[in-house]
Amino acid sequence: MAHFRAKARAVDLLGKGQIADLPTAITELWKNGYDAYAKNLICKLFLSTYKDNKNPLFVISDDGFGMSEKDILNKWFVLGTDSKARGEHIKPYYGLDERIPMGEKGIGRLSVSYLGSQMLMLTKKKGEKANAFLMDWRVLDNYDFFLEDLNIPLFCFSDLNSFNDKFEKAKNEFEQNLVTDFWKEQNDYRKTISKDWQGLFIPKFINDEIVRNFTVTDHHGTCFVIFTPHDQLLELTNIDMLSSKDDSSLKYLRASLSGLHNDLKNPERDFSTEFFIFNEAGKYNIIKDFFTKSEMLDADHWCKGKFDENGFFDGELRVFGKLFKHTFKPNRPPGVTPYGPFEIEWGSVEGEPKNTTLNEEQYRAINDKLRVLGGLYIYRDSFRVLPYGRPDVDFLEFEERRSRGAGYYFFSHRRFIGYIDISRQINSSLKDKAGREGFIQNKAFRQFRDDLIEFFIDISVRYMRKAPDGGESTLRQTQLKEINAKYERQSAAEKKKNKRTKKAFVEQLRENKEKIQLLKAQIKELEENLIKEVREFEINYNTYNSLLNSFEEKKTELRSLRILKPRGISVTKNQDKEYQDYQNEYRLVDENLISCEEEIEKTRKRVNIENLKLEFHDKFNSHLKYLDKLFSEYNSVCKSSFERVRSSLNNEKDVQVDFFKQKSEPIRIFNNDEKEDISAKINGLITLTEEQIKEIENSIGGFIEHVKNLQIDVDDDFLRGWYQEQNEKLENRLRDYEELAQVGMTIEIIDHQFNVMYAQMNDAINDLDKYTRKNPDVEFNFKQLKSAFQHLEGNFKLLRPLYRTSRRTREVITGFQIENYINEFFRNEFDRYKIDFSVNNTFREYVFFTFDSIIK
């Protein structure tokens, strides 16, 4: 085994920098994997219930170059903080294109130490033996250690048996770092580390699913196995959280680890990033789909262009449907900027559905993503720079300005889908902080940020803001009137259609009530005739055949009387009752038909084979006739409907032609018109035609698109009704939650008054206690009063975990605390009903890390 020897303090292995959080550490390790030409950068969190593993395990791996023993000794574990070969492309490998190095020297080691204290590193170059070493980063907390004092075992292996043998030896060898001579001042800390190492082992599934891969000759890459994951990772072991869309920890992690590659500029990439959580039910990828380029282009507003070396912007801007060239010059002394040229592209989505040009389904889908991923991202050489892009990192201060006037400062940070594209070579002055959380606040970054802030304010003021009363409307405001008008027309059309649908439903219900009663009597008579025929000594085929024809007619008639309540309409209680009564009546008639069918089956058994063959052919031909009749009716309905639509379109055409002629009358050409007059009238004619075309598209365009998209197998009324029904359910649920929240908030608000009253009552009871001692006659009643008050006060205190203040922070809660809580809460009930409540020691020692209000 090889060991590390050097004259330096052990703590210097991690340098002086600090990684800010878990996502940053993972991203930096992925950057190192990216530098190593990995195609897959994968995190795997194995929960304690996965494959009989007693403790959570975290694994992060890549399939890059891998390292030899020489690389580990001379590169990975060598002190130093200078940058990697900055700006030099790595030669193409594994069939991938050139890449620019992303990581920094020493940051990978700093990042992996953040993931957890106990670590096993596995690494292998293609065609060479695999290497591994064990480390516990906590030993570096001992400032008395020099590197020459540390014993960090490094070993190679070629198969599982040699790995397991050497792992145990390495484990024992590393524990030599924990001898008491070096830990005199931190003996308790040493015992904690030693205890963790005594329980360290490699689960079988890690051997089978990870270590075994490193024994394959052609395998290459690096893998870190963390035995004591960081607390931020352990939070993810709460499976209930994974199903919660609003969990802050999960949203933060997703917002940080999504979109590492600039898919908004170039969807083609040569690597993938995944984060799986494994448990007994399988695996779950917590990194959701990032924004697509089409989603950015489809946004309500869009901008793309480039800032040059002087900070001048030149590009395109689209406000709703209007696209035009846009330029910007920052208000500062001219000259070359310290930050350098860069590209920018973004889309912005309106905050209210009535203001957007997206359809309902598109808006709902994009809004769900914006809640978690919305923001303006920064990419350096197509790889994301953290923390920019997170919804909570508003480095251009959009929300601060909106708080001063949302109508004036239009843009919201969380409504962006966009990126700023920089490069290591051209924008070298934009430097990362030591903790890898954003850029250093140097002159380049300050001017970079100031110019961008001014750029967005300029767009907002010129094109987006709400104009003051009497002022000239901005481009957005002008188009917004048309969009709102369209939204209102759609809402009005929806209401009109619902009203018409409801009216048709009520009329059909009224008409069919009499028809089904008549049909019920006829089917009853048919059933009696069939029973009579069955009892005859000899079956008369002509009579039997006549009854069969009558049965088929009644069956078809009943089918035509079927009514389904349309989705999306609201009916009165009386109408709903009528509908339910009709459905019950329909079901009874259908049961009568089934009874008739049973009698026919009995009769059929007595009919000879020739007559049965005739019956088969009759049914076959009858069904063909039915199909022909049915589709003839459909064609007739379609023809009638299309004729009605065609007539309406022709009428509308005549109206529009007359309107155009009337409006164009004032600008007709006269013989004495000058050139300038004719030119002005041409422009007036263009304006008139554009306005009329827009009006026609607004009024009829939606209908034409609907007709173009009509499909036989899609029920638009059903889909529309289903969406409305789901919306109503969500609104009702929201109202229930609001009411429940109001109750809880009310209780919490009056908590102070309760405390005052309890204090007053407690003083009064103490005074009564003195009086009772002198008057034994009231002692019994006083004890009842005192007991009831104490019980009431105890129950009131037990409600306090439900308050919002107790839901703000997680805490460690033991099973012993829960046992006491239950015993206290149900003490009287346990005594009254002779209930024996107990828990075992395993439960008492079990630890929950959650909110007090949730568990209690």
Side-chain angles (χ1 to χ4, degrees):
M1 292 189 182
H3 305 286
F4 301 93
R5 302 291 182 189
K7 282 283 186 179
R9 287 191 178 276
V11 71
D12 291 335
L13 280 173
L14 295 185
K16 297 179 181 179
Q18 291 293 322
I19 292 292
D21 58 18
L22 172 69
T24 305
I26 292 173
T27 303
E28 290 302 322
L29 287 169
W30 276 344
K31 279 184 181 179
N32 279 271
Y34 176 89
D35 289 354
Y37 267 84
K39 294 182 180 179
N40 296 291
L41 310 168
I42 303 176
C43 294
K44 297 178 180 179
L45 177 60
F46 297 97
L47 302 189
S48 56
T49 52
Y50 182 75
K51 294 192 177 181
D52 299 325
N53 182 35
K54 293 182 179 179
N55 299 299
L57 284 175
F58 183 65
V59 175
I60 183 166
S61 62
D62 65 63
D63 56 2
F65 288 135
M67 291 182 281
S68 64
E69 180 180 309
K70 182 179 178 181
D71 293 330
I72 298 171
L73 291 170
N74 297 332
K75 294 182 180 179
W76 199 83
F77 230 118
V78 170
L79 297 180
T81 57
D82 52 335
S83 301
K84 292 182 179 179
R86 197 172 281 210
E88 296 182 7
H89 289 68
I90 305 173
K91 293 180 180 179
Y93 197 45
Y94 303 143
L96 302 176
D97 295 333
E98 287 186 338
R99 287 179 177 170
I100 297 175
M102 293 287 160
E104 300 285 341
K105 181 69 188 75
I107 295 297
R109 182 170 64 243
L110 181 62
S111 299
V112 76
S113 69
Y114 189 89
L115 300 179
S117 53
Q118 291 178 301
M119 179 203 78
L120 166 68
M121 183 172 91
L122 304 167
T123 185
K124 181 181 181 300
K125 280 192 170 182
K126 188 174 182 178
E128 299 184 14
K129 283 188 176 183
N131 292 280
F133 75 81
L134 281 170
M135 181 64 183
D136 191 321
W137 302 104
R138 289 175 294 185
V139 299
L140 304 185
D141 292 338
N142 187 338
Y143 280 76
D144 294 332
F145 262 128
F146 286 85
L147 284 184
E148 65 177 6
D149 301 321
L150 279 178
N151 191 351
I152 305 176
L154 169 67
F155 61 91
C156 64
F157 63 93
S158 56
D159 55 60
L160 275 179
N161 289 333
S162 65
F163 169 79
N164 289 323
D165 290 342
K166 291 180 179 181
F167 175 82
E168 289 300 321
K169 292 178 182 178
K171 176 183 166 184
N172 295 332
E173 197 165 335
F174 186 87
E175 290 187 73
Q176 294 176 15
N177 296 307
L178 302 175
V179 295
T180 54
D181 291 345
F182 293 104
W183 297 85
K184 292 179 180 178
E185 296 181 5
Q186 296 173 286
N187 193 42
D188 291 339
Y189 193 40
R190 180 195 68 82
K191 289 180 181 178
T192 300
I193 300 173
S194 180
K195 183 180 178 181
D196 290 343
W197 273 84
Q198 290 171 10
L200 182 64
F201 74 101
I202 303 290
K204 183 177 182 300
F205 78 91
I206 292 291
N207 270 331
D208 294 340
E209 299 177 16
I210 296 176
V211 180
R212 189 183 297 276
N213 292 333
F214 284 86
T215 64
V216 179
T217 304
D218 290 338
H219 183 78
H220 52 85
T222 301
C223 175
F224 298 98
V225 182
I226 311 300
F227 297 96
T228 49
H230 191 280
D231 288 345
Q232 284 183 280
L233 284 166
L234 294 179
E235 285 184 12
L236 299 177
T237 61
N238 180 5
I239 299 300
D240 292 336
M241 183 186 72
L242 300 180
S243 61
S244 171
K245 295 182 180 179
D246 296 323
D247 183 89
S248 57
S249 300
L250 192 60
K251 285 172 67 176
Y252 181 76
L253 193 63
R254 282 175 173 163
S256 300
L257 298 183
S258 297
L260 286 187
H261 177 267
N262 192 356
D263 295 343
L264 297 174
K265 182 179 181 181
N266 179 21
E268 300 297 327
R269 51 175 165 158
D270 55 8
F271 72 97
S272 64
T273 54
E274 295 171 310
F275 192 128
F276 293 106
I277 292 183
F278 289 77
N279 60 16
E280 73 279 5
K283 64 180 180 180
Y284 177 86
N285 190 0
I286 66 173
I287 301 180
K288 295 297 184 180
D289 294 333
F290 192 61
F291 294 112
T292 63
K293 189 169 185 176
S294 62
E295 287 173 331
M296 178 176 65
L297 295 175
D298 291 341
D300 295 311
H301 316 295
W302 171 83
C303 180
K304 181 179 181 180
K306 184 175 182 179
F307 282 81
D308 64 16
E309 63 275 5
N310 297 308
F312 297 171
F313 174 83
D314 182 46
E316 294 179 309
L317 177 65
R318 190 188 74 233
V319 179
F320 287 127
K322 296 285 186 179
L323 178 67
F324 48 90
K325 291 284 291 181
H326 177 67
T327 58
F328 164 77
K329 179 181 178 181
N331 184 22
R332 56 172 172 75
V336 176
T337 64
Y339 54 76
F342 64 90
E343 294 180 9
I344 184 172
E345 183 178 7
W346 51 263
S348 176
V349 180
E350 291 280 339
E352 295 186 54
K354 68 177 182 179
N355 294 342
T356 185
T357 55
L358 301 172
N359 62 44
E360 184 179 352
E361 186 176 347
Q362 287 176 317
Y363 186 81
R364 186 186 300 110
I366 202 73
N367 218 33
D368 289 342
K369 283 190 178 182
L370 286 170
R371 271 196 291 268
V372 180
L373 303 173
L376 198 59
Y377 292 70
I378 297 180
Y379 290 92
R380 182 194 286 120
D381 298 313
S382 293
F383 205 97
R384 183 177 171 187
V385 180
L386 284 178
Y388 307 110
R390 289 176 186 159
D392 60 324
V393 180
D394 183 13
F395 76 104
L396 297 181
E397 301 174 351
F398 290 107
E399 304 307 325
E400 188 275 332
R401 290 193 295 278
R402 278 180 64 83
S403 66
R404 289 187 269 131
Y408 189 86
Y409 299 105
F410 166 75
F411 291 109
S412 170
H413 170 65
R414 293 184 293 273
R415 308 302 298 177
F416 273 109
I417 308 168
Y419 66 88
I420 297 169
D421 188 33
I422 65 174
S423 72
R424 183 182 293 277
Q425 183 177 359
I426 298 174
N427 310 101
S428 58
S429 295
L430 295 175
K431 299 180 180 180
D432 293 344
K433 295 177 182 178
R436 322 301 287 162
E437 275 291 282
F439 293 123
I440 296 172
Q441 301 283 328
N442 57 15
K443 180 182 178 181
F445 178 71
R446 289 195 301 271
Q447 194 166 321
F448 171 75
R449 183 185 59 195
D450 291 345
D451 286 355
L452 280 170
I453 289 174
E454 191 177 344
F455 167 72
F456 281 104
I457 292 176
D458 176 69
I459 293 177
S460 179
V461 172
R462 289 170 62 184
Y463 305 109
M464 303 293 190
R465 70 185 176 93
K466 183 179 179 181
D469 294 338
E472 185 178 352
S473 296
T474 60
L475 184 59
R476 171 182 173 269
Q477 197 171 3
T478 302
Q479 297 181 84
L480 199 57
K481 294 175 183 177
E482 299 173 4
I483 294 170
N484 287 338
K486 182 180 178 181
Y487 180 83
E488 289 170 2
R489 285 197 302 272
Q490 289 174 338
S491 298
E494 184 84 7
K495 292 178 181 177
K496 185 177 179 181
K497 186 173 183 179
N498 283 346
K499 185 177 179 179
R500 188 167 58 247
T501 303
K502 179 180 177 179
K503 182 180 178 182
F505 166 70
V506 173
E507 289 177 354
Q508 187 183 22
L509 190 62
R510 188 185 306 114
E511 292 171 0
N512 286 8
K513 281 173 68 177
E514 295 180 5
K515 292 180 181 179
I516 202 166
Q517 290 298 332
L518 179 60
L519 181 63
K520 182 179 180 182
Q522 293 172 350
I523 292 175
K524 190 65 178 175
E525 182 182 354
L526 174 63
E527 183 181 9
E528 291 172 356
N529 290 334
L530 282 167
I531 293 172
K532 182 179 178 182
E533 187 64 27
V534 171
R535 291 175 180 171
E536 291 291 333
F537 179 75
E538 186 175 346
I539 300 295
N540 185 322
Y541 182 74
N542 291 331
T543 305
Y544 167 70
N545 197 42
S546 174
L547 292 173
L548 275 182
N549 291 335
S550 178
F551 172 76
E552 292 298 332
E553 290 174 2
K554 303 308 175 191
K555 196 174 182 180
T556 303
E557 189 176 348
L558 179 63
R559 194 181 293 120
S560 68
L561 294 178
R562 187 182 179 194
I563 298 177
L564 291 177
K565 186 172 69 174
R567 289 175 176 263
I569 68 166
S570 57
V571 295
T572 64
K573 288 184 177 180
N574 288 336
Q575 289 168 341
D576 188 61
K577 185 177 184 303
E578 286 181 23
Y579 174 69
Q580 297 300 332
D581 292 341
Y582 181 84
Q583 291 295 92
N584 292 333
E585 198 68 26
Y586 186 94
R587 179 176 51 80
L588 292 173
V589 176
D590 189 51
E591 289 175 357
N592 289 340
L593 273 180
I594 293 173
S595 299
C596 290
E597 200 160 14
E598 291 172 353
E599 295 301 325
I600 290 172
E601 187 62 33
K602 292 177 184 177
T603 310
R604 191 175 286 134
K605 292 178 180 179
R606 298 179 57 196
V607 176
N608 61 47
I609 191 168
E610 295 300 325
N611 287 331
L612 286 178
K613 289 179 180 179
L614 287 173
E615 181 184 342
F616 175 84
H617 290 300
D618 288 343
K619 281 187 175 296
F620 182 84
N621 293 326
S622 174
H623 186 64
L624 289 178
K625 291 178 182 178
Y626 172 77
L627 291 177
D628 186 64
K629 179 183 176 183
L630 180 65
F631 280 89
S632 294
E633 291 175 356
Y634 287 163
N635 282 326
S636 177
V637 171
C638 290
K639 184 177 180 181
S640 174
S641 299
F642 292 151
E643 285 296 331
R644 176 171 49 82
V645 171
R646 189 179 293 112
S647 175
S648 297
L649 285 174
N650 287 332
N651 291 336
E652 184 65 24
K653 172 190 168 185
D654 294 338
V655 170
Q656 293 294 340
V657 169
D658 293 340
F659 175 81
F660 179 71
K661 290 178 178 179
Q662 180 184 350
K663 286 291 184 180
S664 62
E665 185 67 22
I667 56 174
R668 70 182 186 276
I669 301 296
F670 297 99
N671 293 331
N672 59 349
D673 282 345
E674 299 291 335
K675 187 177 181 180
E676 292 79 6
D677 297 330
I678 296 174
S679 179
K681 288 181 178 181
I682 290 174
N683 289 330
L685 187 63
I686 291 172
T687 302
L688 176 62
T689 55
E690 286 182 350
E691 288 177 353
Q692 188 177 27
I693 289 171
K694 191 177 295 182
E695 179 63 29
I696 292 171
E697 287 177 347
N698 286 337
S699 60
I700 302 175
F703 168 75
I704 298 301
E705 285 298 317
H706 177 70
V707 172
K708 283 166 59 179
N709 294 324
L710 283 178
Q711 292 180 326
I712 294 177
D713 56 348
V714 176
D715 186 343
D716 290 329
D717 283 340
F718 174 83
L719 289 176
R720 179 174 54 85
W722 186 84
Y723 285 131
Q724 288 183 345
E725 187 177 295
Q726 297 306 309
N727 185 56
E728 288 175 5
K729 287 181 180 178
L730 290 174
E731 287 179 352
N732 291 334
R733 190 181 300 175
L734 181 62
R735 280 195 293 270
D736 291 341
Y737 287 156
E738 286 176 347
E739 292 172 2
L740 186 61
Q742 290 295 330
V743 172
M745 291 169 66
T746 302
I747 292 175
E748 192 166 354
I749 290 168
I750 63 175
D751 174 64
H752 175 70
Q753 286 85 348
F754 272 131
N755 286 331
V756 172
M757 287 188 291
Y758 276 119
Q760 292 173 342
M761 291 172 66
N762 191 53
D763 291 340
I765 285 177
N766 289 335
D767 291 339
L768 282 173
D769 191 15
K770 299 174 184 177
Y771 175 79
T772 303
R773 293 172 189 170
K774 300 177 181 178
N775 299 273
D777 296 341
V778 296
E779 183 179 3
F780 176 77
N781 293 330
F782 170 73
K783 285 183 177 180
Q784 279 188 315
L785 174 64
K786 185 176 181 180
S787 175
F789 169 72
Q790 289 174 342
H791 183 62
L792 183 64
E793 184 181 28
N795 282 350
F796 172 68
K797 289 179 179 178
L798 291 173
L799 290 175
R800 289 186 180 176
L802 301 179
Y803 293 170
R804 286 177 300 163
T805 52
S806 67
R807 298 196 298 271
R808 290 175 184 164
T809 56
R810 294 172 181 262
E811 58 182 82
V812 174
I813 302 169
T814 65
F816 179 73
Q817 290 174 283
I818 295 173
E819 178 189 16
N820 290 339
Y821 182 82
I822 293 174
N823 270 320
E824 182 67 23
F825 200 94
F826 296 107
R827 181 178 56 189
N828 288 352
E829 284 74 11
F830 287 167
D831 292 340
R832 183 181 304 129
Y833 300 110
K834 308 299 182 185
I835 294 172
D836 181 21
F837 170 74
S838 62
V839 301
N840 57 26
N841 289 331
T842 303
F843 180 81
R844 289 191 182 97
E845 295 171 1
Y846 194 86
V847 173
F848 301 87
F849 183 66
T850 184
F851 301 104
D852 194 35
S853 57
I854 299 298
I855 197 68
K856 290 184 179 178

